[in-house]
Amino acid sequence: MAKSCFQVNIGAFDQFIKDVNNDPEKGKVTFKTTTEWQGGAVSKTTARDFVLHTDEPASLGGTDSAADPVELLLASIATCFSIGFVTQAAKRGIDFSDVIIETEGDLDLRGYFGLDKSIRPGYTNIRYKVKVKSDASIEQLEELRQLAHELSPMIETVVDGVDITGSVEKI
């Protein structure tokens, strides 16, 4: 089947928006994952019925058997953006035959290694480029990019931050 923005179920999407507008409590959701250490630097995460594996490159002590967690963050940003980009296009009657999002981020590993406390252990910069095959104008595509960027839960979380708390218990 050829790819199309119109494969997004806009009817279900719009109905859910109406439901949340009528009952704001329906818009408050909690997502959950469970991560189990598999040994070495390998972990397995379950999200609903889906499984993701992570590992570190060999240079960071892993076996390079799966994506690194910082790569998964880039993937989370790009896939969240992609969903919003395609959904907003479909709502406006714009179609694409292909969308490719290249995402990259810069890390100074001295922060992660604890070698320099003045260097943060996380990304210092994240960039993405959207490549689109479409009859839409570049102005329409840029408008969609800006809207998808503005409405992306992942981009907003990374840009504006969120409180993260933790605890530990013995099992």
Side-chain angles (χ1 to χ4, degrees):
M1 174 190 300
K3 294 185 276 187
S4 170
C5 296
F6 304 128
Q7 293 167 332
V8 173
N9 188 341
I10 294 298
F13 183 80
D14 286 342
Q15 183 59 54
F16 191 63
I17 290 171
K18 287 178 188 173
D19 292 346
V20 170
N21 191 42
N22 291 333
D23 181 1
E25 288 299 311
K26 290 183 178 179
K28 297 177 182 176
V29 297
T30 300
F31 289 91
K32 179 181 177 178
T33 64
T34 301
T35 300
E36 298 176 61
W37 174 59
Q38 302 293 292
V42 178
S43 291
K44 175 181 87 172
T45 299
T46 304
R48 294 182 288 140
D49 293 329
F50 304 98
V51 176
L52 302 166
H53 295 274
T54 56
D55 193 1
E56 292 286 338
S59 63
L60 294 175
T63 60
D64 205 20
S65 67
D68 182 288
V70 296
E71 293 166 324
L72 290 182
L73 177 65
L74 296 178
S76 293
I77 291 167
T79 55
C80 185
F81 173 88
S82 173
I83 293 165
F85 192 69
V86 169
T87 300
Q88 294 301 324
K91 288 176 69 77
R92 288 161 178 73
I94 298 172
D95 202 8
F96 312 135
S97 58
D98 210 356
V99 176
I100 299 167
I101 303 165
E102 296 175 348
T103 311
E104 58 186 18
D106 303 317
L107 282 169
D108 184 336
L109 292 175
R110 292 176 299 165
Y112 171 63
F113 296 152
L115 298 175
D116 186 336
K117 294 202 183 292
S118 70
I119 297 173
R120 63 182 298 187
Y123 280 115
T124 57
N125 188 22
I126 296 174
R127 308 166 286 291
Y128 66 89
K129 181 186 298 182
V130 185
K131 298 180 176 184
V132 185
K133 188 172 186 180
S134 174
D135 292 333
S137 71
I138 194 69
E139 293 81 14
Q140 289 173 304
L141 297 174
E142 177 58 24
E143 181 180 326
L144 289 172
R145 187 202 63 78
Q146 289 177 13
L147 188 58
H149 183 106
E150 175 186 314
L151 297 176
S152 167
M154 283 303 306
I155 290 175
E156 191 280 335
T157 298
V158 170
V159 169
D160 292 334
V162 62
D163 289 336
I164 298 177
T165 59
S167 64
V168 64
E169 64 183 58
K170 289 184 74 165
I171 54 174

